């Protein structure tokens, strides 16, 4: 069983930055690929970024490339999302998620592929 708890959300002006964190309660954090997703009101949950089990590979949605950076610290069982140059359209609830990848370098981007989810943290970007 994996428990995920996000933090770091809040209200920020356009152009500002936030750093989201996700703390995982799990025996072997490195067993899992990790992803960040977001969901705005009235919209489906969408992929933001993902990272492989050792941090060696990362993926980002086109909408956040060059602005958001995903990273992980396996020693701390933690996942991060550094968000810079935030835009009002980034406003959403952000979720971290874990998927068993058995040390594969590939991490899926479809929400339905993930096994565990956090409760989400609200990010609001004002114009």
């Amino acid at each position: 069983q994996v428990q995920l708890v996000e933090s770091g959300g809040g209200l920020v002006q356009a152009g500002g930055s936030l750093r989201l964190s996700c703390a995982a309660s799990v025996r072997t954090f490195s067993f899992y690929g990790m992803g960040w997703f977001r969901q705005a009101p009235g919209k489906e949950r969408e992929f933001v970024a993902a990272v492989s089990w050792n941090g060696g590979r990362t993926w980002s949605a086109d909408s956040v490339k060059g602005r958001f950076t995903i990273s992980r610290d396996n020693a701390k069982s933690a996942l991060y999302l550094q968000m810079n140059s935030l835009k009002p359209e980034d406003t959403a609830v952000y979720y971290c998620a874990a998927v068993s990848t058995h040390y594969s370098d590939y991490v899926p981007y479809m929400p339905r592929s993930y096994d565990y989810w956090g409760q989400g943290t609200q990010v609001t970007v004002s114009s």
Side-chain angles (χ1 to χ4, degrees):
Q1 190 71 13
V2 180
Q3 292 186 325
L4 303 172
V5 179
E6 302 95 336
S7 61
L11 174 64
V12 63
Q13 288 188 331
S17 298
L18 283 175
R19 189 192 194 209
L20 304 185
S21 298
C22 174
S25 296
V26 61
R27 174 172 290 186
T28 309
F29 184 60
S30 58
F31 190 72
Y32 299 87
M34 299 296 296
W36 285 101
F37 294 80
R38 66 186 182 186
Q39 189 166 17
K43 294 187 176 181
E44 293 187 352
R45 192 167 298 189
E46 66 173 2
F47 171 77
V48 175
V51 60
S52 61
W53 67 278
N54 62 351
R57 294 197 66 184
T58 62
W59 297 262
S60 299
D62 288 343
S63 59
V64 306
K65 277 182 180 176
R67 300 188 299 121
F68 292 10
T69 302
I70 188 172
S71 62
R72 66 188 294 164
D73 185 337
N74 286 349
K76 296 181 179 180
S77 297
L79 176 72
Y80 306 102
L81 185 68
Q82 178 66 44
M83 305 186 296
N84 299 327
S85 302
L86 283 160
K87 304 175 180 179
E89 52 262 44
D90 295 319
T91 295
V93 177
Y94 283 71
Y95 300 89
C96 70
V99 55
S100 303
T101 56
H102 304 274
Y103 304 110
S104 167
D105 284 339
Y106 172 75
V107 181
Y109 64 91
M110 296 296 290
R112 63 173 179 264
S113 299
Y114 284 72
D115 304 309
Y116 304 99
W117 292 84
Q119 83 290 346
T121 185
Q122 176 71 47
V123 172
T124 303
V125 184
S126 63
S127 58

